[in-house]
Amino acid sequence: MAAASYDIAVIGGGLVGAAIAYGLCDGKRRVALLDEGDIALRASRGNFALVWVQSKGLGLPDYSAWTRKSSDAWQGFADELERETKIDVAFSRRGGFTLCLSDAELQARSDWIKRLHNQSAVPYEILDHAQTKERLPQIGPSVAGSIFCPLDGHANSLRLFRALHVALQQRGGSYLPNRQVSSIDGGFRLSTAQGPIEANRIVLAAGLDNARLAPMVGLNAPVRPLKGEIVVTERTAPFLHQPVVNLRQTDEGGVMIGDSQEESSDLNVRTGAIATMAARAVAMFPHLAALNVVRSWAALRVMTPDGFPIYQQSSTHPGAFVATCHSGVTLAAAHALDLAPAIAAGTLPNTLAPFAASRFDVQTAA
Ligand SMILES: Cc1cc2nc3c(=O)[nH]c(=O)nc-3n(C[C@H](O)[C@H](O)[C@H](O)COP(=O)(O)OP(=O)(O)OC[C@H]3O[C@@H](n4cnc5c(N)ncnc54)[C@H](O)[C@@H]3O)c2cc1C
């Protein structure tokens, strides 16, 4: 079968792949975005939609800087998407909270944010119960205090997903669903059940499947699934205008609750996990006890061993890039506006060198 041919093929149409493909579509090259079918695993459709800074990068200042860069670019990115697609992705950056339910929790969180601040100058405030209540009047008595970071925000990630897909096609990119890539041969020739696809450059953005695809082009992407569960309540009157790390009111009025992190790849919703999350949420905002839960789901994060992203070009197969991270909403702006142009230029900048997977290579003592 004759192969369809492109300048760049992005493998994986989740938020990471879609943001990169969108950024690559500037009218100068033929871009294809290859994706699986609708029942594929997609963190992009099951996430919490925070654009979050206050917990990112302790141990790797470059990741803090990259996150902050994306957060700073997010408003312009959202505006551009809306101009192009008329889809409002409901981005808002009014700061965000981590609420603590005991003095010990508040102490541990305070120590943590101070270390992040000392490393990367992430701005923060530590608030006691009364100070938190001034800003969030509906908190319950068991909230000991909170950490506030003015750079945090949130968006509607399903609309972001839709907007990226619409915009990349409007910009002339080709979205190719039901094209699961089974193998990659040098050059690059991608095998799919619908026939081969050829491309001069490829970007591996296939989420968890990057672990299987990367070695085919001399790359390494040791990602594993980390399950997260989320519940959503019925809509309620606006009461929370800034997100909390585990609880936020969406632009549509429902309250999303979710912060489980489970070493599992099953997609079953567990009543135990949900009950714990709901109990913490009600302790934070007691009036939530009166709301009905209307949906719940589990989804799989795409997690690297140290939690930081992987961006790298293959040295054995130049032109093959890998991109993977567990914060594809937060980093969508950086992926579209910074990473994509670098891939288009053929070289990743030195600022992305710390994200190479070679950091996982085992050092043996001499
Ligand atoms: C519970 C939960 C909460 C989260 N909360 C947040 C948050 O608040 N903020 C934030 O920034 N991030 C959050 N995330 C993470 C965010 O959702 C992901 O980083 C984001 O979805 C990007 O994922 P991805 O595109 O790499 O992978 P996915 O969304 O999994 O997409 C991978 C895509 O690749 C396709 N694919 C796979 N294999 C192949 C193949 N061989 N050929 C072709 N296509 C293939 C799949 O069909 C899929 O569409 C959360 C994730 C979870 C699970």
Side-chain angles (χ1 to χ4, degrees):
M1 189 185 291
S5 160
Y6 296 89
D7 295 314
I8 305 187
V10 179
I11 304 172
L15 280 175
V16 172
I20 294 171
Y22 163 73
L24 286 169
C25 289
D26 60 359
K28 295 184 190 147
R29 55 191 74 81
R30 292 163 304 138
V31 176
L33 180 62
L34 282 67
D35 205 7
E36 290 182 290
D38 261 350
I39 57 165
L41 285 178
R42 284 187 175 108
S44 304
R45 291 191 179 173
N47 63 65
F48 201 64
L50 297 176
V51 178
W52 209 244
V53 175
Q54 71 166 278
S55 58
K56 304 292 173 63
L58 188 60
L60 187 61
D62 305 87
Y63 182 38
S64 279
W66 181 239
T67 299
R68 188 158 174 174
K69 186 172 197 192
S70 194
S71 163
D72 288 345
W74 236 100
Q75 187 63 64
F77 170 63
D79 292 345
E80 180 64 29
L81 279 174
E82 187 168 4
R83 261 195 302 279
E84 293 186 29
T85 65
K86 310 278 181 277
I87 298 171
D88 174 5
V89 300
F91 175 64
S92 141
R93 185 166 85 158
R94 296 164 146 195
F97 294 86
T98 300
L99 296 186
C100 301
L101 291 177
S102 68
D103 289 340
E105 244 182 62
L106 183 60
Q107 186 62 54
R109 220 45 228 172
S110 302
D111 293 346
W112 199 94
I113 195 76
K114 284 176 193 165
R115 282 163 59 212
L116 183 62
H117 174 80
N118 291 342
Q119 176 202 273
S120 296
V122 170
Y124 70 95
E125 290 175 74
I126 298 171
L127 307 174
D128 63 17
H129 175 86
Q131 291 165 322
T132 306
K133 200 167 175 65
E134 271 174 30
R135 302 194 195 179
L136 302 175
Q138 283 170 289
I139 57 165
S142 37
V143 174
S146 64
I147 311 296
F148 175 77
C149 172
L151 303 180
D152 290 326
H154 60 157
N156 182 318
S157 64
L158 287 178
R159 271 193 247 145
L160 169 66
F161 188 72
R162 174 87 189 124
L164 287 169
H165 278 252
V166 169
L168 91 90
Q169 289 173 85
Q170 283 180 188
R171 286 182 169 197
S174 301
Y175 176 63
L176 307 177
N178 304 311
R179 299 295 208 293
Q180 183 188 28
V181 173
S182 53
S183 64
I184 308 170
D185 295 315
F188 298 93
R189 190 176 174 90
L190 312 176
S191 300
T192 81
Q194 275 69 34
I197 305 253
E198 286 181 349
N200 299 330
R201 281 187 202 154
I202 57 171
V203 183
L204 308 185
L208 291 167
D209 206 29
N210 271 350
R212 183 183 67 88
L213 295 172
M216 296 178 191
V217 286
L219 288 163
N220 180 27
V223 286
R224 71 177 200 284
L226 187 68
K227 177 177 169 180
E229 300 188 43
I230 291 177
V231 296
V232 184
T233 72
E234 63 187 314
R235 294 176 190 196
T236 188
F239 75 98
L240 187 59
H241 304 288
Q242 292 146 302
V244 175
V245 68
N246 62 318
L247 193 157
R248 69 184 194 92
Q249 188 165 27
T250 70
D251 56 305
E252 287 154 352
V255 180
M256 283 179 88
I257 300 165
D259 60 354
S260 80
Q261 303 208 348
E262 305 163 45
E263 291 291 346
S264 170
S265 58
D266 84 66
L267 286 171
N268 295 323
V269 172
R270 294 184 313 122
T271 44
I274 284 188
T276 305
M277 290 172 356
R280 281 182 66 80
V282 169
M284 290 172 181
F285 295 97
H287 74 286
L288 295 182
L291 296 179
N292 290 309
V293 167
V294 293
R295 285 181 65 205
S296 62
W297 67 81
L300 302 179
R301 297 182 184 84
V302 181
M303 194 57 74
T304 58
D306 57 9
F308 303 133
I310 298 173
Y311 307 116
Q312 193 169 357
Q313 178 169 197
S314 172
S315 55
T316 56
H317 297 65
F321 296 81
V322 62
T324 196
C325 70
H326 78 83
S327 289
V329 184
T330 304
L331 295 176
H335 289 162
L337 304 176
D338 292 284
L339 181 60
I343 291 170
T347 320
L348 298 188
N350 287 338
T351 48
L352 294 183
F355 299 105
S358 47
R359 69 184 188 269
F360 302 121
D361 294 348
V362 178
Q363 303 289 319
T364 46

